Amino acid sequence: MELSKETEKSFKRSAMVVGPICFALVSLLPIIMGYKSSGIGNWGGLVLLYVLQGVGRGVWEATNKAIFADYFAYDTVGGFSNMIIQNGGASTVCFFIDLKTVGLEPVGKDCTCSEWGSKKCIQGSCPAYSAMGWAGIAFSVLAVLGFVLATMLHQRGIKNWDGLLGRIPEDKDKQGELHEPLALEEGDYEGHENQK
């Protein structure tokens, strides 16, 4: 069954919102519910986290890359390079957040268990809070906002900073277009055919 273009666009847009929501829930549920058996520290909670992570990752690996290919059809190398930079930047920020929050984990006095170190306390009576969890939530919200803004720019046909700022390039016909690659003449790479 083939989907119409509008149905396909609608599905991609919905997925680009659902994926970050799933990632946000992966970060938020442990903070809200904790890891105790009445929270997500049971089989059902574990399966839920894996399902949410799987849906989020599926959107990242498939739909997100398809959106980048659609929105940057005129410059796929630049578009996918941009995606790698965004991913690396987010990972770097999370690394430094984690580095700064070492030692801020819950300690015995934060827990509701009166017998710290016993099996009762191991079952989960300490609060689950994490700067990394909040970073995951923040990046999920930013992903949705960024997608909405990118969609608005794409619908308006804005492909570069000049278009965004309302400046018109000297050659109006060339706005957002890339130069054609240079055609290589035979003999430009002398001896190339001998390298195998």
Side-chain angles (χ1 to χ4, degrees):
M1 179 172 84
E2 192 172 317
L3 298 175
S4 71
K5 290 285 186 192
E6 285 305 313
T7 305
E8 184 180 340
K9 279 184 187 179
S10 176
F11 176 77
K12 285 180 184 177
R13 289 178 182 164
S14 300
M16 288 298 291
V17 174
V18 169
I21 288 173
C22 288
F23 278 142
L25 287 173
V26 166
S27 299
L28 189 62
L29 287 178
I31 293 171
I32 292 175
M33 300 175 73
Y35 292 108
K36 47 191 161 200
S37 58
S38 62
I40 59 168
N42 56 33
W43 280 103
L46 185 63
V47 169
L48 176 63
L49 287 178
Y50 273 101
V51 167
L52 291 170
Q53 176 68 24
V55 170
R57 183 69 188 263
V59 169
W60 165 257
E61 293 295 345
T63 310
N64 184 52
K65 292 178 181 177
I67 290 283
F68 266 77
D70 291 346
Y71 286 14
F72 292 96
Y74 60 92
D75 184 11
T76 54
V77 173
F80 284 106
S81 298
N82 201 345
M83 183 170 46
I84 298 300
I85 290 170
Q86 291 171 18
N87 188 28
S91 297
T92 302
V93 169
C94 286
F95 172 79
F96 284 111
I97 288 172
D98 192 42
L99 185 65
K100 281 297 203 183
T101 59
V102 170
L104 298 179
E105 300 88 9
V107 292
K109 65 182 179 182
D110 296 328
C111 302
T112 58
C113 182
S114 59
E115 302 170 34
W116 178 249
S118 73
K119 281 192 172 187
K120 288 181 189 174
C121 293
I122 293 172
Q123 294 300 320
S125 61
C126 298
Y129 56 86
S130 168
M132 289 291 269
W134 289 110
I137 294 164
F139 281 125
S140 296
V141 169
L142 289 173
V144 172
L145 291 175
F147 172 67
V148 169
L149 290 172
T151 299
M152 289 175 14
L153 293 174
H154 180 70
Q155 287 173 340
R156 293 181 184 165
I158 297 173
K159 299 178 181 178
N160 56 31
W161 286 104
D162 287 333
L164 182 63
L165 299 174
R167 296 186 294 221
I168 299 173
E170 291 175 23
D171 187 356
K172 289 188 240 180
D173 298 330
K174 296 283 186 184
Q175 182 178 5
E177 291 182 14
L178 296 177
H179 297 288
E180 291 295 319
L182 296 174
L184 297 176
E185 299 292 328
E186 192 172 326
D188 281 351
Y189 290 108
E190 289 182 22
H192 177 68
E193 54 279 340
N194 294 332
Q195 299 173 359
K196 293 184 181 179

